[in-house]
Amino acid sequence: MGARLDVILSPTEALPPCEVWLVVDVLRATTTMTVFFECGGKKMLPVESVEEGLALKKSLGSGWLLMGERKGLPPQGFDLGNSPLEAANACVSRYEGAIMTTTNGTRALLAAASTGAPVLIASARNAFAAVDAALSSGSSIGILCAGRLGRVSLDDSACAGALVDIALEKEPKILFSDGARIAHSVWHSYGKNMEEALKDASHAHFLLGLGFGDDIRLACQLGVSASVPKLAFISGRWTVLL
Amino acid sequence: MGARLDVILSPTEALPPCEVWLVVDVLRATTTMTVFFECGGKKMLPVESVEEGLALKKSLGSGWLLMGERKGLPPQGFDLGNSPLEAANACVSRYEGAIMTTTNGTRALLAAASTGAPVLIASARNAFAAVDAALSSGSSIGILCAGRLGRVSLDDSACAGALVDIALEKEPKILFSDGARIAHSVWHSYGKNMEEALKDASHAHFLLGLGFGDDIRLACQLGVSASVPKLAFISGRWTVLL
């Protein structure tokens, strides 16, 4: 049987069975994770709440970075925001790891993990490497878009469309779901250009208003990274590592 | 303030505040409803379950048609399926009205109704008239796609994109949400042609397999109808009428 590719555009939908997940939150969680590992980060612990993040940092100590956002900004007591630029500038390789909580992305990761299938972190930056890794892991691939505040987002739909496009190049007979066709339509309608798509994305406008234009530029760089972090269940905790 | 247009692509998302709703289930509930009223149907009572439909038919009597589907086919004891072709051939104007239950569409209608804002029935057939009616009813328009089995569907996304396109022609300064931009991308990527979009839609393939090709052809006819049914709360019950 040939390969199948599904895209789940809305984070509120029940997850169908898949052999491997690519989770996308291009603005900014999965982009930040991609950059963190590009820059030598060792491991990352995704947690659901700010309180859990603060408690974990207290117990793990100063060898760990506490990263994340609520309403786009780092909560009080956090070392870094959910920012690929800050991750790139923080010498993350000096740390044992990072704890991370975000509004949309880390929750989508944990939802995908709960299905029991392998979960890979995908972004525009690692798009080619992530599709390669997914195609090597299974013939039924699900791309889960984190979306924004429980809604379908243009930024993640466009990035998912880029992944669909790459998968189609590598596996011309791959079968698409409706969600995959919609994402593919979005990607092509913006000329296969993340910057064009993000000009129309409400989340990008919100981040620009907070001064995160450099993060958006990093999020738009297609295929510049070979880093494909994945989730693993280690010592009773979901952990992101290479 | 200018007009705003949101498209809710997934039936699982929480509904945002809007001044008026256009509900789309192009395959087939809202297409069937459009045709029912085109053909002189007087009123329609949407109900959530097959059991509720059967009980209501029993109490209302033989002057009422019982219509609908589960897994695409009319449940036992129903007079008609959820079929625009059957509605067109049934001399519906002779009846007092119809009771209808479908898997996706009637549920989306009732969800939109629960917000308290006016709800209009939209399909490709009544696309121009439905957009006109919505723009006359409020400056904040929500298009709710019924989708399929709790998932985003290509057929409803494409039809929503057609409605977005028409709204943009009539109100060039209308503001779009991410969902509206995604739907618009889908519509344009299929050459603004419902038949082309439906060739790729999983729900269309399912219906073709059941022999409903004529229903699909009726669903694809863009702008042929001026009938825009709406929901009203009458005698303690949601009722669709013109």
Side-chain angles (χ1 to χ4, degrees), chain B residues 46-66:
Chain B
V47 299
E48 295 214 34
S49 72
V50 168
E51 295 67 31
E52 196 181 348
L54 289 165
L56 196 56
K57 162 90 180 186
K58 198 169 174 185
S59 84
L60 292 174
S62 60
W64 288 74
L65 284 165
L66 180 56

Side-chain angles (χ1 to χ4, degrees), chain A residues 15 21 23 33 44-49 52 100-102 104-117 119 121 144 146 231-233 237-240:
Chain A
L15 299 186
W21 288 103
V23 175
M33 288 178 180
M44 189 178 269
L45 306 176
V47 298
E48 295 216 33
S49 72
E52 196 181 348
M100 178 141 162
T101 181
T102 73
N104 309 298
T106 49
R107 291 172 189 187
L109 279 177
L110 296 172
S114 72
T115 68
V119 177
I121 278 76
L144 174 59
L231 273 184
F233 199 67
R237 193 172 271 294
W238 287 109
T239 305
V240 185

Side-chain angles (χ1 to χ4, degrees), chain A residues 6-14 16 150-155 157 177-179 181-182 185-186 189-190 200-203, chain B residues 6-10 12-14 16 150-155 157 177-179 181-182 185-186 189-190 200-203:
Chain A
D6 194 358
V7 174
I8 292 84
L9 293 161
S10 172
T12 58
E13 294 186 3
R151 296 288 308 274
V152 176
S153 77
L154 179 58
D155 36 309
S157 302
S177 71
D178 278 22
R181 291 188 187 278
I182 291 167
S185 293
V186 170
S189 79
Y190 284 101
D200 277 346
S202 62
H203 202 168
Chain B
D6 194 358
V7 174
I8 292 83
L9 293 161
S10 171
T12 57
E13 294 186 3
R151 296 288 309 273
V152 176
S153 77
L154 179 59
D155 36 309
S157 301
S177 71
D178 278 22
R181 292 188 187 279
I182 291 167
S185 294
V186 171
S189 79
Y190 284 101
D200 277 346
S202 62
H203 201 168

Side-chain angles (χ1 to χ4, degrees), chain A residues 134-223:
Chain A
L135 287 169
S136 307
S137 300
S139 64
S140 165
I141 300 169
I143 299 175
L144 174 59
C145 296
R148 187 176 179 218
L149 306 172
R151 296 288 308 274
V152 176
S153 77
L154 179 58
D155 36 309
D156 289 336
S157 302
C159 185
L163 298 171
V164 170
D165 209 53
I166 293 164
L168 186 63
E169 278 173 28
K170 292 176 188 283
E171 292 266 0
K173 293 187 174 176
I174 198 166
L175 297 175
F176 285 174
S177 71
D178 278 22
R181 291 188 187 278
I182 291 167
H184 199 234
S185 293
V186 170
W187 180 237
H188 278 264
S189 79
Y190 284 101
K192 302 174 69 159
N193 183 319
M194 279 302 290
E195 286 185 18
E196 289 303 313
L198 265 53
K199 281 180 187 166
D200 277 346
S202 62
H203 202 168
H205 292 188
F206 171 77
L207 291 173
L208 279 173
L210 292 176
F212 291 121
D214 287 335
D215 280 357
I216 294 172
R217 275 185 285 281
L218 287 169
C220 286
Q221 294 176 333
L222 187 71

